[in-house]
Amino acid sequence: MKLRIYNIQLLPLDHAKTGDAGESRYIELFKHFNDSVTKSIKQKRLVTDAKPLINDSFFAALNCEKHIYKQLKDRHTFIVGRFIKFHQAGEVEDLYTKATLFKAQEGQDAVANRKEFLYIFDPVSHWLGIEEQNGRLPNQRAVKSSLEQYLQPLAEQFFPDYTLTVNLVSREEELKSVLERAVGFTKIEIDITFKNGPTQDEVLQDMAANSLHRLKISASSDRGSHMPRVPETLEGFVKNAPQYGQASITYLEQNDKGGTNLARYESESNPQTISARARADEDPMSFYGRMVIKIKELARRIGHLPEVKNVRAE
């Protein structure tokens, strides 16, 4: 199983008056999410409430539930749920004769090409991993938009002192590689938010202290010129983009002929993923529990969570 990672945050509207959202609030958020989906299913509104995709396809949330995975003395609470992608098929016809083989009756939602995508949500890191299924999962932006579509109204209703943000977590090593080999920059675009929880990063601290929930920056050089390096005023924002937002960078790199080529980096094209295989004797929830530990390990390794000793997924 290979999971694509998204960072879901409940950020205080006024950081001076409201504390950070803890694990319990994220668990409660997904309880309300499940209640909302249950209501949608009972009212047969899955298609209506779904996120429209291209080619008459849709992406909709199914039910989710809380589980606890025990490892030695540790208890890991997590959420398991599913999204479904499908095509709406009100009418099916024969390819050769064009004769109608099936026509949905009033009140029916006939679908085709049904694919379910399991997700695992860790309320400690507030990271959600959703299975990619070898490219069948909708693109990064569509999944992000779907999560926002379902969760933002619930956050506004049940957590009025907070605002919800969702961002793809991208691979930091890809950005570092670009910054190391680039010999110049023509355009740098950043869209980030601050971190839910304590941080030693001065940029994120300052954004949180000033309740700066979203910062969008577009820096560019005019034609024929370039920035020789990332300006100091932007360095901290660029560094935090993989975890707490997104970045798009147009840069110059050396070619084999001694000249330079124009290249482009997009954080959305470099999603952070986690992979593992279930053991032959392992039940599904134990496997998902191991995946939750892997999510936490990655979050600690890149500095999103503080280090904790002796917690490891085998």
Side-chain angles (χ1 to χ4, degrees), residues 79-108:
I79 308 295
V80 173
R82 284 175 170 79
F83 274 82
I84 179 174
K85 184 174 75 170
F86 57 88
H87 286 82
Q88 195 168 20
E91 186 172 298
V92 177
E93 65 178 32
D94 184 274
L95 176 62
Y96 302 100
T97 67
K98 296 184 180 181
T100 299
L101 302 177
F102 169 83
K103 188 171 184 178
Q105 302 300 310
E106 185 176 350
Q108 291 182 326

Side-chain angles (χ1 to χ4, degrees), residues 4-69:
R4 185 194 299 168
I5 306 299
Y6 288 85
N7 180 28
I8 298 174
Q9 299 197 112
L10 287 169
L11 301 176
L13 285 172
D14 187 339
H15 204 271
K17 297 179 180 179
T18 307
D20 293 320
E23 179 180 356
S24 61
R25 283 192 178 89
Y26 289 106
I27 293 173
E28 185 181 350
L29 173 65
F30 274 78
K31 176 186 178 299
H32 294 307
F33 184 23
N34 183 62
D35 292 343
S36 176
V37 170
T38 299
K39 183 178 179 180
S40 180
I41 292 172
K42 287 182 178 178
Q43 296 179 348
K44 295 186 176 181
R45 291 181 53 85
L46 275 182
V47 175
T48 304
D49 295 341
K51 170 72 177 177
L53 304 174
I54 61 172
N55 300 324
D56 296 322
S57 60
F58 296 84
F59 194 59
L62 299 179
N63 288 108
C64 61
E65 56 186 5
K66 182 178 76 171
H67 292 274
I68 296 175
Y69 177 65

Side-chain angles (χ1 to χ4, degrees), residues 85-265:
K85 184 174 75 170
F86 57 88
H87 286 82
Q88 195 168 20
E91 186 172 298
V92 177
E93 65 178 32
D94 184 274
L95 176 62
Y96 302 100
T97 67
K98 296 184 180 181
T100 299
L101 302 177
F102 169 83
K103 188 171 184 178
Q105 302 300 310
E106 185 176 350
Q108 291 182 326
D109 285 323
V111 302
N113 301 322
R114 175 188 178 121
K115 297 290 182 183
E116 291 190 10
F117 302 87
L118 180 137
Y119 69 82
I120 300 169
F121 177 71
D122 169 39
V124 175
S125 63
H126 43 84
W127 278 7
L128 181 146
I130 182 167
E131 60 177 337
E132 292 196 322
Q133 287 194 18
N134 298 319
R136 295 186 181 93
L137 182 66
N139 65 40
Q140 291 85 333
R141 192 168 297 181
V143 175
K144 174 182 179 293
S145 179
S146 297
L147 290 169
E148 291 171 337
Q149 177 176 309
Y150 281 104
L151 296 177
Q152 278 183 340
L154 298 173
E156 291 174 6
Q157 179 180 356
F158 296 103
F159 306 101
D161 294 330
Y162 295 84
T163 184
L164 182 133
T165 65
V166 179
N167 69 271
L168 175 76
V169 179
S170 57
R171 298 196 301 269
E172 287 188 336
E173 59 268 25
E174 294 296 330
L175 176 59
K176 289 179 180 178
S177 175
V178 166
L179 297 179
E180 287 173 358
R181 68 175 183 269
V183 295
F185 302 86
T186 61
K187 191 169 187 178
I188 300 172
E189 294 178 297
I190 310 159
D191 186 350
I192 69 167
T193 186
F194 59 84
K195 178 185 177 183
N196 172 211
T199 178
Q200 299 300 313
D201 188 280
E202 292 183 359
V203 169
L204 299 180
Q205 285 179 345
D206 189 54
M207 289 182 67
N210 288 283
S211 297
L212 179 54
H213 297 97
R214 186 176 184 184
L215 178 66
K216 296 183 72 173
I217 297 174
S218 180
S220 61
S221 297
D222 282 342
R223 66 184 187 281
S225 62
H226 65 269
M227 295 169 270
R229 58 177 178 79
V230 176
E232 291 183 11
T233 51
L234 302 183
E235 283 182 348
F237 303 116
V238 171
K239 181 185 70 174
N240 283 294
Q243 285 193 54
Y244 304 109
Q246 63 186 52
S248 173
I249 300 174
T250 305
Y251 62 97
L252 298 169
E253 61 181 359
Q254 211 83 40
N255 60 33
D256 296 336
K257 298 179 180 179
T260 57
N261 294 329
L262 201 62
R264 189 174 180 86
Y265 161 85

Side-chain angles (χ1 to χ4, degrees), residues 242-313:
Q243 285 193 54
Y244 304 109
Q246 63 186 52
S248 173
I249 300 174
T250 305
Y251 62 97
L252 298 169
E253 61 181 359
Q254 211 83 40
N255 60 33
D256 296 336
K257 298 179 180 179
T260 57
N261 294 329
L262 201 62
R264 189 174 180 86
Y265 161 85
E266 297 281 355
S267 59
E268 288 186 345
S269 301
N270 297 279
Q272 183 65 259
T273 59
I274 294 174
S275 300
R277 291 184 178 180
R279 304 184 184 116
D281 60 345
E282 191 172 35
D283 65 88
M285 288 306 155
S286 294
F287 174 53
Y288 302 155
R290 284 200 300 116
M291 293 296 284
V292 168
I293 295 177
K294 282 184 169 290
I295 288 174
K296 290 177 178 174
E297 287 178 346
L298 174 62
R300 292 187 178 101
R301 189 164 67 247
I302 66 177
H304 179 65
L305 287 180
E307 286 288 344
V308 175
K309 296 181 179 178
N310 302 324
V311 177
R312 183 177 179 82

